């Protein structure tokens, strides 16, 4: 779980993950990958974090995707789930996502754009258009309906196929799909809630970074000397 100033959401996310583990008889290891939030996250973790949740305080190479890459390296379990902390992603969907992995998907997306998905009413039209355009620009890289989603499940072994993961910006899923040569992408519909507390970190600068990331991935897949698996 990458975090930057999510102290409002972490207690609720933790409660929901606790309930999930109890109800589904699951045993999770949760790594909160935090980038010097200085909003009380450290104090909350020291006082309230359960044994299965570990706060990792990052001090360099800040950013959502690098935090996720570091988290993948630290995770010790064979199945890995990446999700936002702000309660946009329902943790209750994790068992279904793991089920799709068991059925053969290499990577499973908690998707906002397949049948059965929904978003909160408040989604501004500009945000919808923005999300659609971003997805359309990624079409040459993947046929997934929601490769922009930050809610992902995959096997560790799949990630080990990549020679190097060096994503910039928010789109870690796209990076994994391209660099890990993923062909079987599963998508599980989710209800995407608006963030419940804290502030958004998605701004114009972040969106321009996405274009740079896309260019790099296009080059990786289609450029001269490409390393695409045959
Ligand atoms: N470690 C780390 N996490 C980050 C960083 N920026 C964002 N995050 C986390 O990544 C997740 C997604 O960020 P959000 O700000 O929710 O981005 P978004 O969902 O596209 O935008 P909103 O819908 O407006 O919330 C959240 O858990 C953030 O706390 C960062 O620089 N470092
Ligand atoms: Mg969010």
């Amino acid at each position: 779980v990458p975090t930057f100033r999510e102290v409002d959401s972490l207690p609720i996310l933790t409660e929901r993950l606790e309930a999930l583990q109890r109800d589904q008889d699951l045993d999770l290891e949760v790594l909160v990958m935090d980038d010097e939030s200085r909003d009380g996250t450290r104090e909350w973790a020291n006082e309230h974090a359960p044994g299965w949740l570990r706060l990792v305080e990052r001090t360099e190479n800040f950013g959502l995707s690098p935090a996720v890459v570091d988290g993948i390296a630290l995770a010790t379990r064979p199945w890995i789930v990446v999700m936002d902390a702000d309660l946009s992603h329902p943790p209750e969907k994790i068992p279904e996502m793991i089920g799709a992995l068991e059925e053969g998907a290499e990577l499973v997306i908690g998707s906002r754009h397949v049948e059965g998905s929904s978003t909160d009413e408040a989604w501004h039209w500009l945000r919808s258009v923005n999300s659609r355009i971003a997805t359309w620009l990624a079409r040459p890289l993947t046929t997934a309906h929601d490769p922009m989603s930050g809610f992902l499940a995959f096997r560790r072994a799949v990630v080990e196929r990549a020679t190097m993961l060096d994503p910039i910006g928010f789109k870690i899923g796209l990076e994994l799909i391209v660099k890990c040569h993923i062909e079987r992408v599963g998508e599980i519909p989710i209800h995407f809630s608006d963030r419940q507390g804290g502030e958004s970190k998605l701004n114009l600068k972040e969106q321009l970074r996405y274009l740079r990331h896309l260019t790099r991935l296009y080059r990786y897949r289609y450029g001269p000397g490409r390393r695409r698996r045959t």
Side-chain angles (χ1 to χ4, degrees):
V1 183
T3 58
F4 183 62
R5 298 193 183 146
E6 301 289 5
V7 73
D8 290 346
S9 303
L10 280 169
I12 308 169
L13 178 66
T14 304
E15 251 172 51
R16 283 172 66 177
L17 287 168
E18 177 96 59
L20 178 72
Q21 299 194 74
R22 210 177 36 240
D23 298 347
Q24 302 281 332
D25 197 19
L26 281 177
D27 169 28
L28 301 177
E29 162 194 65
V30 177
L31 299 172
V32 173
M33 306 299 296
D34 188 69
D35 282 7
E36 286 187 351
S37 289
R38 298 205 177 106
D39 64 344
T41 295
R42 173 187 290 174
E43 292 73 13
W44 171 81
N46 285 342
E47 282 173 41
H48 302 289
W52 46 264
L53 185 148
R54 175 175 151 209
L55 174 69
V56 177
E57 299 187 275
R58 304 179 71 247
T59 54
E60 57 185 12
N61 192 17
F62 291 142
L64 190 161
S65 293
V68 171
V69 172
D70 286 357
I72 292 171
L74 287 175
T76 62
R77 306 289 176 82
W79 287 333
I80 297 176
V81 174
V82 176
M83 68 185 300
D84 291 353
D86 61 357
L87 309 171
S88 284
H89 299 149
E92 296 74 20
K93 283 279 177 175
I94 291 174
E96 217 178 310
M97 291 167 75
I98 300 294
L101 288 182
E102 285 180 312
E103 280 167 22
E106 293 169 290
L107 177 126
V108 177
I109 300 173
S111 177
R112 296 161 297 182
H113 301 314
V114 289
E115 209 184 320
S117 311
S118 51
T119 53
D120 274 350
E121 292 288 316
W123 255 46
H124 192 267
W125 67 269
L126 195 60
R127 183 173 173 172
S128 279
V129 171
N130 208 313
S131 167
R132 295 276 172 187
I133 293 175
T135 306
W136 180 79
L137 287 172
R139 275 309 266 183
L141 298 170
T142 174
T143 53
H145 297 88
D146 192 8
M148 304 295 125
S149 172
F151 194 13
L152 307 163
F154 45 87
R155 279 176 204 275
R156 155 177 301 288
V158 162
V159 183
E160 285 165 1
R161 290 181 197 159
T163 36
M164 186 170 65
L165 293 173
D166 56 353
I168 44 175
F170 277 30
K171 308 308 173 194
I172 180 70
L174 203 54
E175 174 88 2
L176 293 175
I177 290 172
V178 175
K179 300 265 183 85
C180 304
H181 310 278
I182 288 170
E183 277 154 19
R184 292 188 308 278
V185 178
E187 286 185 83
I188 297 291
I190 62 163
H191 176 78
F192 184 89
S193 311
D194 287 331
R195 69 161 42 250
Q196 318 257 301
E199 278 174 25
S200 174
K201 287 95 206 174
L202 181 65
N203 51 28
L204 184 64
K205 198 167 143 206
E206 204 43 65
Q207 305 202 26
L208 293 175
R209 212 172 268 154
Y210 169 59
L211 295 180
R212 264 178 56 217
H213 188 198
L214 258 189
T215 312
R216 274 163 58 160
L217 291 177
Y218 278 172
R219 257 197 226 121
Y220 178 89
R221 172 148 320 159
Y222 299 111
R226 66 187 185 272
R227 281 168 282 176
R228 190 179 185 189
R229 236 178 19 175
T230 49

